[in-house]
Amino acid sequence: MPRFSIIVPVFKVQGFLHECLDSVLGQSFADFEVIAVDDRSPDRCGAILDEYADRDSRVKVLHLPENVGLGRARNAGLEQASGDYVLFLDSDDHYTPGLLEAVAARLDATADPDILVFDHVRTHWWGRGGPSATAELLAAAGTDAFGIRQSPQYLHLFLVAWNKAFRRSFFLEHGLRYAPGLYEDAPVTYRAMVLADRIVCLDRVGVEYRQRRQGAITKTPGRRHFDIFQQYEGLFAFLAERPDLAWARPLLFERALNHMLYVLAQEDRVTPADRPDFYRAIRSFHRRHLPAGFTAPDGDSGLKMRLLATAPYLSYAALTGLGRLGRAAANQGRRAAGTVARPARRTWYAAQSRRPLDPHLAVYSALHHGGVSGDPAAIHAKALQIAPHIHGVWVVREDAVGSLPPGIDHVTPGSRRYHQVMARATYWVNNVNWPGTVVKRPGSVHIHTHLGTPLKYMAADLLTKPGARHGFNVPQMLRRADRWDYSLVANRHSELVWDRAYPCHFTSLRTGSPRNDVLVGAADGAGAEFRSRHGIPEDHTVVLYAPTRRDYRRGGHVDRIDLARFAADLGEGHTLVVRLHPSLATGPARRFGLTELHRRGALVDATDEPHVEEVMLASDVLVTDYSSLMFDYANLDRPIVVHADDWGAFAASRGAYFDITAQPPGHVSRSHRELVWLFASGGWRDEESARLRAEFRARFCEFDDGRAAERVVRTLMLGESMPEPAVAVRVPEPAAGHDQLAST
């Protein structure tokens, strides 16, 4: 029999589940079982749980036949529990290191009380919060056990399930079970607290309580919040059957009213339209269950409770400020929805927005309106082929108009036609966020393609990296991402990361990356035009070097490789092609020698090439540090070398979702000497390189089957059906004329 049974109900938390389970399985105290209850989660949660169960015998997975909700999922897990104590952990939260060892020690020292309560910290999506509201109460408890009748102030402890360890025999003896619906914690917690003879506190933060930006049921406005009344009705029905607990009735009545009035005031729970009904339900509860001689507490909460006896809703709202708060929130929402363009253009944009959407109009943008490139360009090209009735218009900055391919219809930001197109287009396709000055209309379809598979932290995850997020307005970024309807992914890694990094409402589509279609289906001789244009001999081995920016250096540029030396060390028969990160293209980075070396023919500077796919196709091997280009390049099944001489600094400053040096797509070099040796010895293309590349491709190229753009156009624009890509992808041939690079 284990000491602890940790019950983890799981539903739609695939982006957080690994962190949750790792926080439990990594505890120093190991005498526990994890009962993970898959509440018929529609994402990959069930598969993730099975993977953990295969690796660790302490994990037991219960797959429910239907979705039953948090409370009944906990009950299902409880039926399987065998530990001395039961702990409940929500699957988007996680334990702090050493918690279980501290809990076990306190239980042993206090002779196994009925309940142990520990502290938590709120981890908001923008950063960790301060001490909990009950931290001082926990600290004041000391080490002695107590009962609520003698210490009623401890009913003010956070009333959730996951900050407590319950003695399982106590839980079962009193038939404690969670009811369906929201606020299921309240009746069980309060019932357990007043029934317990011995309660102890542990003044230690044990849980990082994640305050999800979206997805948390209790933060979603709607009528479901009326569940609170049936939950407390159940608690007071129990009290009616237990005259021995009459002493607890006034205490729990005050707690119930306080909870209900708190929910009433929350704009993200009870809508302004529902508030009068919700308030009337509180007054009804007040009338039915008011204990004889009840005295409301002092302070603001007591004033609100006293108003319940006499004040109708409008009077209560006026006296407590609830009405003003509601009007302020509504005005703020109207201002946010009405913020479009500049005042001089607002009337025109509003007029266009009143016209119906054009079902045959699509608007495209890439890299902050920098031109026609990336996934949006691939989708646009495919739409021209199979959906020519859908007219595509590109949003392009004035300084980039001159580089547009012939025949591209475009608008410039802020122009009169720009606002017309943005107001009328049914399809919006972009690989970065649209400006906040445009509004998503009902019926429009926003397709977000991203900029590749993420290695480094993105969006909300940057909040833990203050240096990396400098200049990023993460809340604004997420508000703009709220407009996405679809997020395209090339692999399950990306799917999990976007679910976590962008806590927004969108549907993840396993389409593959449209821009990679040309890599997967590369024809013989692809890239030859690039070689010819830059005077690269046909028999040369082209080494593509693509470094990324650094967040630990102002401006982002760090010279990790001496380009002149590297080009010379590669020797005869090789051409070095360099492509800097787009964010460095217009800065001083190229003036540190790259431009001069290109001018005298020592290497080729491909930073300004509009289509990076063409550069990749022309190369035989990629050398990169931590650029996401490696994930795309892997589709070519050509060698990749990771130059990671500053991996520690990069990962510490920016954050990384996995250690690329431990799971690389090829050999890893950590010095110039090692890098040159890999090429001199031929190690860059040996059997180990091929093995690592195959594993990498299987993980990160699984949905790239050469039909991604077609899949997007047919399913999202034409309403047709196409199967998801098979996990096994076709292996492209090596570059024409370079069979020596084939896997051995």
Side-chain angles (χ1 to χ4, degrees):
M1 178 184 296
R3 186 59 164 158
F4 300 130
S5 291
I6 302 168
I7 298 171
V8 185
V10 177
F11 184 73
K12 293 181 70 172
V13 289
Q14 63 178 11
F16 309 105
L17 187 53
H18 287 284
E19 184 177 16
C20 172
L21 295 176
D22 289 346
S23 76
V24 178
L25 299 176
Q27 291 282 313
S28 55
F29 184 88
D31 186 16
F32 61 81
E33 63 178 0
V34 176
I35 301 174
V37 184
D38 173 18
D39 191 16
R40 201 68 177 177
S41 186
D43 53 12
R44 285 201 71 247
C45 285
I48 293 171
L49 294 177
D50 289 338
E51 291 168 2
Y52 273 87
D54 289 341
R55 296 197 303 265
D56 196 315
S57 61
R58 294 174 296 177
V59 179
K60 302 175 182 178
V61 182
L62 178 61
H63 295 283
L64 300 184
E66 60 180 355
N67 177 253
V68 298
L70 179 59
R72 287 189 286 179
R74 286 176 179 159
N75 296 340
L78 183 64
E79 295 300 322
Q80 306 295 319
S82 61
D84 297 331
Y85 279 82
V86 174
L87 293 87
F88 300 95
L89 177 62
D90 287 356
S91 48
D92 54 353
D93 301 335
H94 60 272
Y95 282 158
T96 59
L99 169 68
L100 296 184
E101 185 171 348
V103 170
R106 178 57 57 85
L107 293 175
D108 291 343
T110 53
D112 285 4
D114 298 318
I115 304 173
L116 180 146
V117 187
F118 47 85
D119 204 0
H120 70 280
V121 63
R122 293 176 185 264
T123 303
H124 301 274
W125 59 267
W126 66 82
R128 181 178 292 171
S132 71
T134 56
E136 293 184 4
L137 198 59
L138 285 165
T143 59
D144 295 334
F146 58 85
I148 291 298
R149 190 165 190 174
Q150 295 75 35
S151 303
Q153 69 273 25
Y154 286 95
L155 278 180
H156 289 258
L157 290 172
F158 205 25
L159 54 76
V160 295
W162 43 256
N163 66 345
K164 301 173 182 69
F166 298 96
R167 186 163 50 82
R168 187 168 65 92
S169 58
F170 162 80
F171 212 83
L172 298 176
E173 173 191 349
H174 292 287
L176 297 172
R177 296 294 187 277
Y178 292 94
L182 296 188
Y183 306 103
E184 76 293 332
D185 286 349
V188 173
T189 297
Y190 287 141
R191 185 174 167 184
M193 295 289 276
V194 298
L195 286 170
D197 293 323
R198 300 177 66 248
I199 302 170
V200 298
C201 291
L202 177 63
D203 183 21
R204 187 187 192 283
V205 172
V207 171
E208 293 233 22
Y209 173 35
R210 190 184 303 276
Q211 302 288 278
R212 294 168 66 185
R213 182 174 182 265
Q214 290 183 352
I217 298 175
T218 55
K219 297 293 185 180
T220 304
R223 298 287 294 191
R224 290 193 64 186
H225 293 280
F226 283 74
D227 288 355
I228 194 172
F229 300 109
Q230 70 184 38
Q231 300 288 8
Y232 278 108
E233 287 293 344
L235 175 61
F236 276 75
F238 160 75
L239 290 174
E241 298 174 355
R242 294 290 299 266
D244 58 313
L245 295 177
W247 60 269
R249 189 180 181 91
L251 299 174
L252 295 178
F253 180 74
E254 183 267 326
R255 289 284 82 207
L257 291 183
N258 187 76
H259 193 183
M260 294 171 186
L261 291 171
Y262 170 80
V263 172
L264 172 68
Q266 301 309 300
E267 299 163 6
D268 54 0
R269 302 194 188 193
V270 182
T271 66
D274 286 337
R275 277 178 173 161
D277 287 347
F278 197 92
Y279 179 75
R280 283 189 286 270
I282 300 176
R283 295 190 74 193
S284 176
F285 181 91
H286 180 273
R287 286 193 300 271
R288 289 195 309 277
H289 298 295
L290 179 65
F294 173 76
T295 302
D298 296 332
D300 183 64
S301 63
L303 171 63
K304 293 176 180 178
M305 291 178 194
R306 288 189 288 273
L307 287 172
L308 289 170
T310 58
Y313 173 72
L314 290 178
S315 298
Y316 176 88
L319 291 169
T320 61
L322 185 63
R324 291 193 297 274
L325 289 174
R327 286 192 297 273
N331 290 337
Q332 182 179 3
R334 284 193 292 270
R335 286 195 298 271
T339 302
V340 291
R342 293 185 179 275
R345 304 185 182 102
R346 185 175 295 132
T347 302
W348 167 251
Y349 186 89
Q352 293 299 311
S353 297
R354 288 193 290 271
R355 298 178 63 191
L357 291 171
D358 185 346
H360 300 147
L361 180 60
V363 61
Y364 298 88
S365 180
L367 290 176
H368 306 287
H369 312 325
V372 179
S373 65
D375 291 313
I379 295 171
H380 178 226
K382 184 59 65 173
L384 288 175
Q385 294 177 13
I386 63 177
H389 62 285
I390 298 178
H391 180 66
V393 178
W394 280 81
V395 181
V396 183
R397 299 190 312 265
E398 290 188 10
D399 63 335
V401 169
S403 63
L404 290 179
I408 292 294
D409 189 6
H410 68 278
V411 295
T412 55
S415 66
R416 185 179 179 88
R417 186 168 178 242
Y418 164 82
H419 290 299
Q420 179 181 358
V421 168
M422 300 305 290
R424 300 286 315 282
T426 294
Y427 307 101
W428 295 28
V429 185
N430 204 342
N431 58 10
V432 294
N433 265 325
W434 294 99
T437 53
V438 292
V439 177
K440 174 175 168 53
R441 294 180 60 185
S444 65
V445 180
H446 285 217
I447 303 167
H448 191 77
T449 71
H450 301 283
L451 289 169
T453 294
L455 170 63
K456 59 188 178 184
Y457 277 9
M458 304 293 290
D461 287 331
L462 287 175
L463 293 166
T464 64
K465 299 293 181 181
R469 76 168 185 264
H470 179 71
F472 286 99
N473 186 330
V474 175
Q476 182 186 75
M477 183 187 304
L478 297 183
R479 285 193 295 271
R480 294 176 179 181
D482 284 334
R483 298 174 295 195
W484 302 350
D485 291 305
Y486 298 100
S487 166
L488 309 187
V489 298
N491 48 66
R492 278 171 277 200
H493 164 79
S494 296
E495 188 173 59
L496 294 174
V497 168
W498 300 140
D499 196 38
R500 169 194 176 101
Y502 290 96
C504 307
H505 291 301
F506 56 79
T507 298
S508 182
L509 291 185
R510 296 178 174 183
T511 57
S513 294
R515 69 183 181 280
N516 288 343
D517 289 348
V518 67
L519 304 181
V520 176
D524 291 343
E529 201 280 328
F530 175 91
R531 287 179 174 239
S532 175
R533 188 167 68 249
H534 290 282
I536 301 174
E538 291 184 4
D539 62 345
H540 268 213
T541 297
V542 175
V543 180
L544 171 60
Y545 175 53
T548 192
R549 64 176 290 117
R550 301 302 198 273
D551 292 288
Y552 61 77
R553 177 70 61 86
R554 185 176 180 87
H557 173 65
V558 178
D559 278 319
R560 305 308 310 176
I561 293 179
D562 183 332
L563 296 178
R565 180 183 174 192
F566 185 39
D569 287 343
L570 286 173
E572 291 293 327
H574 295 77
T575 295
L576 178 62
V577 175
V578 179
R579 184 178 177 88
L580 297 181
H581 190 275
S583 66
L584 303 176
T586 58
R590 296 161 80 178
R591 296 197 298 271
F592 281 81
L594 178 57
T595 299
E596 189 270 335
L597 290 169
H598 172 77
R599 185 168 52 244
R600 62 183 176 89
L603 50 73
V604 174
D605 178 11
T607 303
D608 289 335
E609 288 289 331
H611 301 292
V612 68
E613 296 83 10
E614 187 179 11
V615 183
M616 289 191 281
L617 286 166
S619 67
D620 299 300
V621 55
L622 171 67
V623 177
T624 186
D625 34 41
Y626 324 114
S627 171
S628 64
L629 199 69
M630 73 178 85
F631 300 97
D632 304 325
Y633 195 86
N635 280 286
L636 290 171
D637 198 27
R638 300 175 188 174
I640 302 173
V641 175
V642 175
H643 187 62
D645 65 334
D646 66 337
W647 170 247
F650 180 90
S653 60
R654 177 62 188 239
Y657 291 112
F658 67 95
D659 185 351
I660 192 63
T661 66
Q663 304 173 64
H667 287 297
V668 178
S669 61
R670 300 181 185 276
S671 67
H672 184 91
R673 180 178 180 180
E674 290 181 5
L675 177 62
V676 172
W677 178 85
L678 282 172
F679 282 91
S681 67
W684 61 281
R685 58 180 182 181
D686 62 11
E687 292 182 358
E688 177 66 5
S689 170
R691 183 189 69 79
L692 292 169
R693 186 167 69 254
E695 294 176 356
F696 193 83
R697 292 181 69 243
R699 180 180 179 189
F700 295 110
C701 302
E702 56 181 336
F703 303 145
D704 280 333
D705 64 352
R707 302 184 67 189
E710 179 187 1
R711 190 170 286 110
V712 172
V713 175
R714 291 196 184 279
T715 59
L716 300 185
M717 294 182 174
L718 297 179
E720 300 175 2
S721 61
M722 277 187 68
E724 283 191 355
V727 171
V729 299
R730 182 180 70 82
V731 179
E733 296 295 327
H738 295 272
D739 290 343
Q740 72 273 20
L741 302 182
S743 302
T744 58

